[in-house]
Amino acid sequence: MKKLILIFCSILLLTLQSCGIYSFTGADTGDAETFQVNFFQNNADLVEPGIDRAFTISLQDLIQNQTSLSLTNNNGDLIFEGEITQYYISPMSATAENTAAQNRLTITVNVRYYNTLEPEKDFENRFSFYYDYPAETQLVGAALETALDEIYTRLTQDIFNAALTDW
């Protein structure tokens, strides 16, 4: 009986150890140990103060929370950089009086990703997402924060998936 338990524990230990590279997020960081996210400058025609800093921090937080990589300010194994290229509001649907019933806030970022350990994985892509809201709502204060949070969540997840997953 003791031999059976010992064999079972050994198999269990080997099985768990062999899964050491598995990630619930599907992230594949390879041999990378560090990452850096350079400041995403806001180059959009319509400038909303603070979105550049908030977006940069959102991307850093997502990568830190979903991988075991360490954030560094320079010489990272994985490097994310780019700029916010568009920030605009457009009407989405009209009322019978020919006024907007719903508006859409759209943010687009251009991202350059460098994997210093596996350069074949480098890319430069544009990522965009939006938030729809009623036209009678002023996009300020809590309404703006809600919109930006939803957009940042989607943008950062799309960037993460493009860089670190094979989905």
Side-chain angles (χ1 to χ4, degrees):
M1 184 66 172
K2 287 183 181 183
K3 284 184 179 183
L4 185 60
I5 292 174
L6 183 60
I7 291 172
F8 176 74
C9 289
S10 298
I11 291 172
L12 182 62
L13 182 62
L14 289 173
T15 303
L16 291 176
Q17 183 149 357
S18 67
C19 295
I21 59 169
Y22 179 77
S23 165
F24 287 110
T25 63
D28 177 15
T29 58
D31 293 331
E33 295 178 3
T34 61
F35 77 100
Q36 74 184 64
V37 177
N38 296 335
F39 184 72
F40 277 74
Q41 186 72 35
N42 186 355
N43 294 337
D45 291 336
L46 180 60
V47 175
E48 177 64 37
I51 66 169
D52 42 13
R53 182 177 183 277
F55 176 77
T56 302
I57 291 170
S58 292
L59 184 56
Q60 289 173 341
D61 288 347
L62 177 79
I63 296 167
Q64 275 188 308
N65 290 336
Q66 294 194 11
T67 69
S68 60
L69 298 173
S70 299
L71 177 63
T72 185
N73 290 326
N74 52 27
N75 298 323
D77 296 329
L78 309 178
I79 303 167
F80 296 83
E81 66 180 27
E83 51 279 333
I84 298 170
T85 58
Q86 293 182 324
Y87 177 99
Y88 63 93
I89 298 170
S90 57
M92 289 308 301
S93 60
T95 64
E97 294 82 34
N98 286 331
T99 60
Q102 191 174 36
N103 289 330
R104 173 174 285 178
L105 170 62
T106 303
I107 298 178
T108 303
V109 295
N110 186 56
V111 177
R112 290 175 297 281
Y113 168 72
Y114 304 101
N115 184 326
T116 61
L117 304 175
E118 299 177 68
E120 65 276 4
K121 293 186 176 183
D122 294 358
F123 67 78
E124 180 171 0
N125 285 343
R126 289 173 46 127
F127 297 87
S128 185
F129 200 68
Y130 59 89
Y131 178 81
D132 293 336
Y133 62 97
E136 64 272 2
T137 301
Q138 290 289 324
L139 204 54
V140 295
L144 178 60
E145 288 301 314
T146 299
L148 293 175
D149 286 347
E150 185 168 320
I151 292 171
Y152 294 161
T153 297
R154 181 58 180 264
L155 285 174
T156 56
Q157 191 65 54
D158 288 349
I159 293 165
F160 179 88
N161 289 342
L164 300 174
T165 67
D166 290 327
W167 294 0

